Amino acid sequence: MSAVPDNLALRVRELEVGGASGALGARLYVAGAAPKRDTLVVFFHGGGFIADDMEDADEFLRMLAESDHKPLVLASRYTLATVSPFPAAVEDAHAVLLWAKKNKTKLGWTGKHLVVSGIEAGANLAAVCGLMSRDRGGPALAGQLLIMPMLDPGLTTCSMRQMTLCPDREKVTAVCAEAYRGYLPNAADRAHPYASPLQSSRLKNLPPALILSAEDDPLRDEAEQYGAKLINAGVRTTVRRLPPAQLTDPNGRTECACKVHAMGEIGIFLSGIEGQGGAPV
């Protein structure tokens, strides 16, 4: 079997991006030989706001960059709650989008389609970026890709409460509770739309969304509830519940996102975005 030519191989580059209060570590995933790409996906990792799970997302990010659309994928770190709680992480996330807009030439991006994405806590930040970009006049987002997002600090949904009935998975609920205690130590912040977009009463004029949940994920109901609220607000939204995935390990969400079903849904979503034209940023 012949080797893959260097100009077609996946390239992963470590770099620094601009956060709200300084430089943040990031990775740029580039597959194929095209000099510039129309679509940039900015991704935020999971870890419950309190842990850096960038490495756990690496397989998913490689698969995304190598998918049929060959988008540029920029995965950024953000301030963890152990360093500074809410709103430090969301301010970082929005600042990274602004940095990407200013540095599109450096990234090899045409500036045409900007998609914000994340898994679990990172999907919370991605959803909030949609609100912040709308409220602050930019940057323009072509879409939001939310994978098993954490959106309910109260942990009140049926799918979350049912987890306590299964001893092997009880720790998943405990991990979520611990994460929110670290991220939102001020109880009043738990109702803030930039902490819990599920609580927002202003969901109009947000970018198109793809929301992926999983049959046996405790975050399933809040993901689907958020999707329903977006649809009711007139936001073009696709909600998909993926087949069951083993989640005895709380980090299993990233593993689930690598499944064939998820990548297929993401491909369809990106096709829809690229077919809509897109506003330069």
Side-chain angles (χ1 to χ4, degrees):
M1 182 181 294
S2 60
V4 177
D6 287 344
N7 65 340
L8 297 179
L10 176 68
R11 303 181 299 283
V12 182
R13 178 159 58 98
E14 301 283 343
L15 70 160
E16 287 189 340
V17 299
S21 301
L24 298 166
R27 285 180 185 168
L28 183 67
Y29 294 75
V30 187
K36 284 192 175 184
R37 309 299 167 85
D38 286 342
T39 301
L40 172 67
V41 179
V42 177
F43 173 90
F44 299 108
H45 63 77
F49 306 103
I50 57 176
D52 182 344
D53 274 7
M54 181 82 88
E55 293 301 330
D56 290 328
D58 183 70
E59 181 184 356
F60 167 71
L61 296 169
R62 289 172 182 271
M63 291 179 67
L64 178 57
E66 292 182 308
S67 63
D68 289 345
H69 294 271
K70 299 288 189 295
L72 285 173
V73 179
L74 177 65
S76 177
R77 291 182 164 86
Y78 49 86
T79 300
L80 299 178
T82 50
V83 176
S84 183
F86 174 82
V90 294
E91 292 293 348
D92 274 344
H94 185 250
V96 170
L97 297 181
L98 294 171
W99 181 92
K101 172 186 173 180
K102 288 182 62 176
N103 292 272
K104 58 188 179 185
T105 300
K106 177 179 179 179
L107 295 172
W109 173 43
T110 65
K112 195 168 185 182
H113 306 293
L114 178 58
V115 177
V116 66
S117 176
I119 288 179
E120 187 233 16
N124 174 297
L125 302 183
V128 172
C129 279
L131 298 173
M132 296 176 79
S133 294
R134 178 199 63 192
D135 296 345
R136 298 180 180 184
L141 298 179
Q144 51 182 320
L145 168 57
L146 313 180
I147 304 170
M148 289 158 278
M150 290 179 66
L151 301 170
D152 177 27
L155 308 178
T156 57
T157 64
C158 290
S159 61
M160 182 65 72
R161 293 198 305 269
Q162 287 168 357
M163 296 300 291
T164 61
L165 304 179
C166 181
D168 290 338
R169 297 177 181 173
E170 195 172 63
K171 62 182 179 181
V172 180
T173 304
V175 166
C176 289
E178 179 185 2
Y180 279 123
R181 283 195 296 270
Y183 183 54
L184 301 168
N186 181 355
D189 287 336
R190 297 193 171 205
H192 195 296
Y194 289 179
S196 175
L198 187 61
Q199 303 296 323
S200 177
S201 59
R202 295 179 58 249
L203 295 176
K204 291 185 177 181
N205 302 317
L206 294 178
L210 172 63
I211 302 177
L212 300 179
S213 66
E215 180 65 37
D216 57 352
D217 188 1
L219 300 174
R220 181 195 68 208
D221 286 357
E222 58 203 81
E224 295 178 356
Q225 287 173 16
Y226 190 57
K229 290 189 71 171
L230 289 177
I231 292 169
N232 289 337
V235 177
R236 182 160 58 89
T237 303
T238 300
V239 182
R240 292 286 184 265
R241 184 185 296 188
L242 302 179
Q246 183 57 258
L247 284 176
T248 53
D249 179 354
N251 293 326
R253 294 179 187 84
T254 300
E255 184 178 323
C256 172
C258 294
K259 304 297 184 183
V260 174
H261 294 287
M263 295 309 301
E265 294 292 346
I266 292 169
I268 294 170
F269 180 66
L270 293 178
S271 291
I273 286 174
E274 292 172 2
Q276 292 293 318
V281 293

